[in-house]
Amino acid sequence: MMPPTGREHCQGLPPDILSDLHDNVIDVILMFLPCKDAVRTSVLSRKWKYHWCRLAKWKFDESLWSTQKDKLYPTVKFRKIVYQLLTHHEGPITKFKLDITYLQECPRIDNFIFFLSRKDIQHLVLHLPPGKDELYRLPSSIFICSQLRHLNIHNCSMHHHPSACEGFDRLISLELCRVTISSELLGHLISHCPLLEKLVLKIAKTLNITEINAPMLRSFDFIGSISSICLKNVPLLAKVSLICENSSMEAEKFDYAKFFQSRSALEHLILNFRYSQFFADEAPTRLPYYLNRVKHLNLSHVELKESYTRSCAHCLIRSFPHLEYLKIEVLSRRLVYDEADSGIQESLELEHFSDVTFNHLREVEIISFSGTTPEMQLIKILLAKSPVLVKMYIDPGILIDTGSEILTELVNFHRASPEAEIDLEYYGKLELNRLETNVDGVV
């Protein structure tokens, strides 16, 4: 039988499925493609040619212009792509991410930010190059992005007068990392974002005291000089992470007891002990007030050999009666501990915690464990005083020579909870289970 020819053959061909797709379906397909592939679909058919121009979400990074055969300087290629978008795009752009941190210098993007301000931008991420000489200066057009709900900026400077910043009426989350900004402008900006719920600040340079006035704020992450922050009006604040990167005297004098005095909504607390002195004077047995809603406590760089730091850690653990999850990252200096173990052991005896019971504590993590006396005594206290404990996870960080002896000692510790399990990383549950058969009690 002869194959069909001419008109018969044309009539026998299936319809062009891609061209027959509804416009809304094409838009959904493009939305899930990388930007480069979305633009490439313009060659599929006449109907697809300009669909990419209506994309509402964009991500510009190295993958757009970096190829093995590409000999153009990255900044030149970047400008060409931006020009194409400026020229052809139609409709709103609700989400845009620019990641060019690897470039040696930041190209001029003032016009592009102004372009986005007129496109109803709602989610804007700018990860710019750190720069050898100076950071990119953000244009004032950023403040006319009236629809912004999420703003994330890395590596730039903001040298605007506070009067030029009207804030963002709809902003929910704000992240400023390695941004040079004055205390006045920062405080003014935050106070003029009435719906702000999440705030992340990673400020390298020391600020003057900045007041955080954000009545809807629920999450606050800060890295910098702690003494420069004042939580003035944050009644709903539930999660706080504070990492001090300033070893100056100002940081040492900062009084955390006053800092958290009115934080009645606090539920999740992360503190770094590296440069911090948590109390202006001697550490109390517990805080002069209870934070009854705190359920998660994360303490890092805890140097248990040092009596003041150890007292601070004990004070904080005692002060949260409804604590459910505790994580402690120990700063281990084993040789120094071994010399002072006898004195530390006395200060950690169970009778010193006779007035404490962790009635809600269900999970404990000990990170960078090395088996020293202060670490073992702290574990002993937590096991003996936690009647609903389910799991204690211990991560040595390095292999411990005396692992079997430590396991034996841990298994022999009294446990208030019959359901408690100990998981010592690197030595495994099998060996622990073998040891348990020789010990009265249940893990």
Side-chain angles (χ1 to χ4, degrees):
M1 190 172 180
M2 297 294 292
T5 59
R7 183 175 237 170
E8 271 186 352
H9 178 64
C10 292
Q11 290 177 348
L13 287 176
D16 185 348
I17 298 176
L18 292 177
S19 295
D20 286 346
L21 289 175
H22 193 276
D23 287 351
N24 291 339
V25 176
I26 296 176
D27 290 337
V28 172
I29 293 173
L30 293 178
M31 184 174 63
F32 286 98
L33 291 177
C35 290
K36 180 185 288 188
D37 293 335
V39 175
R40 284 172 173 170
T41 61
S42 61
V43 302
L44 292 177
S45 71
R46 184 177 298 176
K47 186 173 182 179
W48 282 71
K49 188 170 184 179
Y50 294 109
H51 261 276
W52 68 269
C53 299
R54 299 204 300 265
L55 279 175
K57 298 180 180 180
W58 289 86
K59 179 182 177 181
F60 279 14
D61 58 18
E62 187 179 10
S63 64
L64 276 178
W65 53 80
S66 178
T67 64
Q68 292 181 353
K69 297 181 180 179
D70 185 14
K71 302 299 181 183
L72 285 175
Y73 186 69
T75 304
V76 176
K77 200 68 174 289
F78 167 78
R79 289 171 180 166
K80 291 180 65 176
I81 293 173
V82 168
Y83 177 77
Q84 289 277 52
L85 182 62
L86 293 174
T87 305
H88 294 97
H89 192 272
E90 300 174 358
I93 297 179
T94 57
K95 183 175 182 179
F96 186 85
K97 180 177 181 179
L98 175 63
D99 186 355
I100 51 174
T101 53
Y102 55 88
L103 293 182
Q104 292 185 355
E105 60 182 20
C106 185
R108 302 303 301 175
I109 58 173
D110 295 32
N111 291 336
F112 187 60
I113 292 178
F114 179 73
F115 167 77
L116 292 174
S117 72
R118 301 170 65 88
K119 287 286 186 175
D120 297 331
I121 186 72
Q122 296 179 19
H123 192 149
L124 179 59
V125 178
L126 299 175
H127 290 181
L128 307 177
K132 292 184 178 180
D133 300 323
E134 59 181 358
L135 295 172
Y136 170 72
R137 184 165 181 167
L138 206 64
S140 58
S141 58
I142 189 72
F143 298 121
I144 62 175
C145 298
S146 58
Q147 304 298 313
L148 268 180
R149 295 175 64 82
H150 306 276
L151 179 60
N152 183 324
I153 304 177
H154 288 213
N155 300 317
C156 76
S157 64
M158 302 175 69
H159 292 294
H160 311 87
H161 192 276
S163 61
C165 170
E166 298 181 0
F168 304 100
D169 291 341
R170 304 187 181 189
L171 198 69
I172 295 175
S173 67
L174 174 63
E175 181 171 336
L176 302 178
C177 298
R178 295 178 294 278
V179 173
T180 301
I181 186 172
S182 68
S183 299
E184 293 75 19
L185 178 58
L186 179 58
H188 181 86
L189 174 60
I190 294 171
S191 64
H192 284 73
C193 299
L195 301 181
L196 190 65
E197 296 181 5
K198 179 180 179 181
L199 177 61
V200 178
L201 299 176
K202 298 179 182 179
I203 308 296
K205 294 186 178 181
T206 302
L207 300 170
N208 296 325
I209 294 179
T210 301
E211 292 186 347
I212 306 297
N213 183 2
M216 301 298 292
L217 191 67
R218 299 177 183 274
S219 175
F220 179 45
D221 293 270
F222 182 80
I223 297 178
S225 174
I226 304 298
S227 57
S228 64
I229 293 297
C230 174
L231 298 179
K232 183 179 180 181
N233 180 25
V234 287
L236 302 181
L237 188 60
K239 181 179 179 180
V240 175
S241 174
L242 299 178
I243 299 177
C244 181
E245 285 195 338
N246 189 339
S247 58
S248 65
M249 290 300 295
E250 286 75 14
E252 294 178 0
K253 295 178 181 178
F254 188 67
D255 196 336
Y256 281 75
K258 294 181 180 179
F259 187 80
F260 291 112
Q261 188 166 3
S262 302
R263 307 283 81 83
S264 58
L266 192 63
E267 297 180 4
H268 195 139
L269 179 59
I270 301 173
L271 295 175
N272 187 295
F273 277 62
R274 186 173 183 181
Y275 294 125
S276 299
Q277 181 171 331
F278 285 88
F279 305 100
D281 300 312
E282 184 178 350
T285 302
R286 55 166 52 89
L287 294 175
Y289 48 83
Y290 283 115
L291 294 173
N292 292 324
R293 297 183 65 176
V294 174
K295 298 178 181 179
H296 294 254
L297 179 62
N298 186 330
L299 306 177
S300 62
H301 287 85
V302 182
E303 192 172 357
L304 289 175
K305 82 169 184 68
E306 205 278 313
S307 60
Y308 176 81
T309 303
R310 188 170 64 252
S311 298
C312 289
H314 293 165
C315 169
L316 291 169
I317 295 171
R318 287 169 175 265
S319 300
F320 306 129
H322 290 83
L323 196 64
E324 296 180 4
Y325 172 80
L326 173 64
K327 180 178 180 179
I328 299 178
E329 181 184 346
V330 180
L331 183 61
S332 297
R333 297 182 183 178
R334 186 174 180 83
L335 293 177
V336 179
Y337 282 151
D338 291 341
E339 296 173 2
D341 270 356
S342 58
I344 294 174
Q345 182 171 356
E346 182 179 354
S347 68
L348 286 169
E349 290 294 341
L350 279 171
E351 52 263 30
H352 292 274
F353 285 77
S354 58
D355 61 335
V356 180
T357 303
F358 306 110
N359 288 317
H360 301 272
L361 190 61
R362 297 180 59 81
E363 186 172 342
V364 175
E365 280 191 70
I366 309 293
I367 308 299
S368 297
F369 172 81
S370 59
T372 61
T373 297
E375 294 168 0
M376 296 293 285
Q377 289 296 319
L378 178 60
I379 290 172
K380 184 177 182 179
I381 290 169
L382 293 173
L383 288 172
K385 293 290 186 174
S386 306
V388 297
L389 187 68
V390 175
K391 183 175 182 179
M392 178 175 286
Y393 173 80
I394 302 174
D395 181 5
I398 58 174
L399 197 63
I400 302 174
D401 295 336
T402 57
S404 297
E405 291 85 349
I406 290 173
L407 280 170
T408 303
E409 189 173 355
L410 288 173
V411 171
N412 279 283
F413 282 159
H414 170 69
R415 305 172 199 189
S417 170
E419 304 297 328
E421 290 184 356
I422 298 177
D423 185 354
L424 185 59
E425 188 71 14
Y426 293 140
Y427 299 100
K429 292 183 179 179
L430 291 177
E431 185 174 1
L432 182 58
N433 291 334
R434 177 178 58 79
L435 289 168
E436 287 168 7
T437 59
N438 302 319
V439 181
D440 293 334
V442 181
V443 177

